[in-house]
Amino acid sequence: MLMKTIAKISCFVILTAVPVCVLSSCTGVSTNPNLSASNSAYESPKVIGKIKSPAIDESSGLAASRCQQNILWTHNDSGDDAYIYALDLEGTNKGTWRIANIENVDWEDIAAYKDKTGKCFLYIGEIGDNKLKRREHFVYRVAEPTISDTTALATRKNSLAIEAVETVRFVYPDFDQDAETLMVEPKSGDIYVVTKRVSGPAGVYRLKPDFGEAQIQRAEKMPEISVPSIPNGFVTGGDISPDGRRMVICDYSQAYEWSLPETVSQFDEIWKQEPTRIDLGKRSGGESVCYSASGSSIFATSEGRNSPVIEAKRKN
C-alpha cells in the first residue's frame, strides 16, 4: 500500500516538474492564464479534524451524506476488503460496514445520492485500472446505513454488514482506461466517470443508473475536460453539488470547480465551462474531495493514516 502511494506521488511530482515547454506539444495542455486563478468564492482552507481510525490508511474517496448531518463516508484504495467507513467532521469513527458478495479490487471513489422519495444511497466506483488491463468496470450502490451511538462502536474487527447491493457493469466505448473520479448528478441520477490521464485531457463518460440490469452497459463518451495543471488530465476525485450547478474535481494537490451560467439549466453544459482553482491547503497525495450536503463547503482528505479533514467554506 505504502509503495503504491509513493509510486503514484512520485509519478505526479516528476510529471509536474517537467517544464511547460517540454509538454507544449501534448494535446490539451492549457496556456490560458485565467485557469490558474484561485476561486475567490471560497475562504482559505482549514483543517477541521483528522481521521482517527487506523483502518483508514488510504482515503481514496469521500462523500458527504445527503440524509445525515455532518457525516462523511470514505473507503480505502485497493488492498482493503469491501469496507466503507463513516466519520464525523472531526474524523471520529461513526461505524464500519462490510459490503457482502463484492470485492475491493481497486475502489477509487464514492458518491452520495438522494432520490426523489428522500432515500439516500452510496455509490462506489470499482473503476481503477493502473495497468489498463480491465475491460469491465463496476459501480455499486447500497442504501446508506443509519448512524447511531451503536454503529460508532463498529470497527474492522466487529464490522456491521450490508447485504443488499446493486450493480452497474460497464465498458468504455473506445479503450480501457484508469479512472479515480465517480460522480452522480442529483436530478437525473446519471453517473459520470472521469478518467485519469497523463497524455492529455481527462475523458468523461456517462452511465445510466440502470441498476439490476443484467447486460453490460456501454458508457457514453462526453466532452473531455482539462484542469489547470500539468498533466492536465491527471485527476483523482470529484463531486457534483447538491443543486447540480457546480462540479469540483481534484488532483493530488488542488481542486478545480466548474459552474453553470445562471441562464443554463442543463447539467451537461458544464463540460463547456472553464474551471477555477480552489486552494485545499497541504495534502499528501490527495485523492478525495466532495461538497457538503448544503453545497456551502468543500471537504477533502489525503492518503495515509491520520489524514487531515480539510474544509473550504463558500463565501456566499
Side-chain angles (χ1 to χ4, degrees), residues 38-44 246 248 257 277-279 291 295-298 312-315:
S38 178
N39 190 337
S40 60
Y42 289 85
E43 297 177 2
S44 297
R246 290 175 286 134
V248 62
E257 187 174 58
R277 181 174 59 84
I278 300 172
D279 181 16
Y291 286 101
S296 61
S297 292
I298 288 174
K313 290 185 176 180
R314 194 168 177 85
K315 292 180 180 178

Side-chain angles (χ1 to χ4, degrees), residues 27-214:
T27 302
V29 174
S30 175
T31 57
N32 185 345
N34 294 326
L35 291 182
S36 61
S38 178
N39 190 337
S40 60
Y42 289 85
E43 297 177 2
S44 297
K46 294 182 179 180
V47 174
I48 59 173
K50 286 193 174 183
I51 295 178
K52 299 172 180 63
S53 171
I56 305 172
D57 58 5
E58 196 172 0
S59 178
S60 187
L62 191 68
S65 172
R66 300 297 191 256
C67 283
Q68 302 176 91
Q69 189 173 10
N70 299 328
I71 293 296
L72 300 175
W73 293 92
T74 190
H75 59 83
N76 285 318
D77 205 332
S78 58
D80 197 4
D81 209 333
Y83 291 101
I84 57 173
Y85 305 89
L87 311 168
D88 64 18
L89 300 188
E90 295 181 348
T92 302
N93 177 61
K94 290 297 179 180
T96 302
W97 284 261
R98 189 188 185 285
I99 305 174
N101 303 315
I102 63 172
E103 294 181 85
N104 177 353
V105 177
D106 198 355
W107 289 7
E108 290 292 356
D109 207 358
I110 186 170
Y113 175 67
K114 186 176 184 178
D115 71 11
K116 294 179 181 179
T117 70
K119 187 174 182 179
C120 280
F121 296 89
L122 298 173
Y123 291 57
I124 300 157
E126 177 64 270
I127 54 177
D129 187 9
N130 291 323
K131 296 182 179 180
L132 305 180
K133 291 184 177 181
R134 301 177 65 191
R135 181 175 182 273
E136 188 175 339
H137 302 271
F138 306 87
V139 176
Y140 300 120
R141 182 173 74 175
V142 299
E144 181 180 331
T146 301
I147 304 302
S148 67
D149 292 340
T150 301
T151 66
L153 301 175
T155 65
R156 283 279 300 269
K157 293 182 180 180
N158 61 336
S159 63
L160 301 167
I162 296 175
E163 300 291 343
V165 56
E166 299 173 289
T167 305
V168 165
R169 304 162 62 197
F170 76 95
V171 296
Y172 293 105
D174 36 24
F175 52 91
D176 296 339
Q177 301 185 66
D178 183 30
E180 296 191 5
T181 302
L182 175 76
M183 305 183 293
V184 181
E185 204 282 313
K187 296 178 182 178
S188 66
D190 287 347
I191 302 164
Y192 293 87
V193 174
V194 183
T195 64
K196 180 182 180 183
R197 291 182 187 163
V198 176
S199 58
V204 180
Y205 298 85
R206 182 169 62 187
L207 301 169
K208 291 298 180 183
D210 295 333
F211 290 94
E213 296 290 336

